[in-house]
Amino acid sequence: GVGEDGGVGPERHRGAVAAAHLAHFAQLLGVKKIGIATCARLIHEANALARVLRAQGYEVTGIACKCGTVNKTELGIPERCLEVGQNICNPVLQALVLNGEKTELNIALGLCVGHDSMFYKYSEAPVTTLSAKDRLLCHASLGPLYLLDGYWKRLLKPDPYLTAPQNKTEEGKTGDTSN
């Protein structure tokens, strides 16, 4: 049941790894078919998660983000963007494939910011996230928040790359509309 701390695991699962919490969550939901939508760069981790879930008796279907194999240049994306990969990610197709498999719970594993939102939107099954994508920090995105008063304090200063947009002009572009 739900613990005093709001967690879903019984006392014996306190301190358990997230994969065990996911299996227990699926048990509480009464689901058998689990989907894993993963970044192609985390296929090893997705396979490890699938092994854990299968060992607990769940039926697991996984799909990587590069499904559909559409070349970026076919969509008008400049060739210089091929440096980070030839094919475009397709989180909508990931959701549609898992919908077709009739998964009852989906797990997002390392999807890009924004791609995860598209996956959530098109998934018919509820979605939970095991890990957000963060290559710099080995997908441990909370690290800088723990160190906000130390090494990462620069995140507390305005940065033009990070700051929220100002009011929108009539053309839909960001700008000061006070005049």
Side-chain angles (χ1 to χ4, degrees):
V2 176
E4 289 178 14
D5 65 352
V8 295
E11 279 299 320
R12 70 174 194 255
H13 286 293
R14 295 218 190 268
V17 296
H21 287 291
L22 287 171
H24 187 68
F25 181 57
Q27 179 191 63
L28 291 174
L29 292 177
V31 304
K32 182 95 172 143
K33 295 180 79 171
I34 298 175
I36 301 173
T38 186
C39 169
R41 291 181 180 219
L42 294 175
I43 201 73
H44 176 77
E45 292 82 351
N47 284 331
L49 175 60
R51 286 177 55 208
V52 170
L53 295 171
R54 286 184 182 121
Q56 300 306 318
Y58 294 97
E59 182 182 330
V60 181
T61 301
I63 186 158
C65 60
K66 302 294 183 178
C67 57
T69 60
V70 175
N71 189 297
K72 293 175 184 177
T73 57
E74 292 177 31
L75 300 173
I77 297 172
E79 283 194 31
R80 64 176 159 34
C81 295
L82 296 177
E83 294 172 11
V84 294
Q86 178 179 348
N87 297 318
I88 195 158
C89 297
N90 196 336
V92 174
L93 184 56
Q94 284 179 290
L96 296 177
V97 167
L98 293 178
N99 292 346
E101 292 292 322
K102 305 280 188 232
T103 55
E104 300 165 294
L105 173 67
N106 290 327
I107 300 167
L109 175 56
L111 299 182
C112 295
V113 171
H115 293 187
D116 55 358
S117 297
M118 295 301 292
F119 178 75
Y120 304 151
K121 179 176 181 175
Y122 288 93
S123 174
E124 292 174 1
V127 180
T128 190
T129 299
L130 177 60
S131 179
K133 185 174 195 168
D134 193 329
R135 285 181 245 164
L136 177 66
L137 297 172
C138 298
H139 314 293
S141 302
L142 295 178
L145 299 181
Y146 296 132
L147 301 171
L148 202 54
D149 293 322
Y151 181 78
W152 290 99
K153 65 184 170 189
R154 69 175 187 243
L155 292 174
L156 297 174
K157 296 178 183 170
D159 180 330
Y161 181 73
L162 304 174
T163 54
Q166 302 298 313
N167 296 329
K168 301 254 180 181
T169 63
E170 287 126 29
E171 297 84 32
K173 296 181 181 177
T174 304
D176 182 10
T177 59
S178 59
N179 291 336

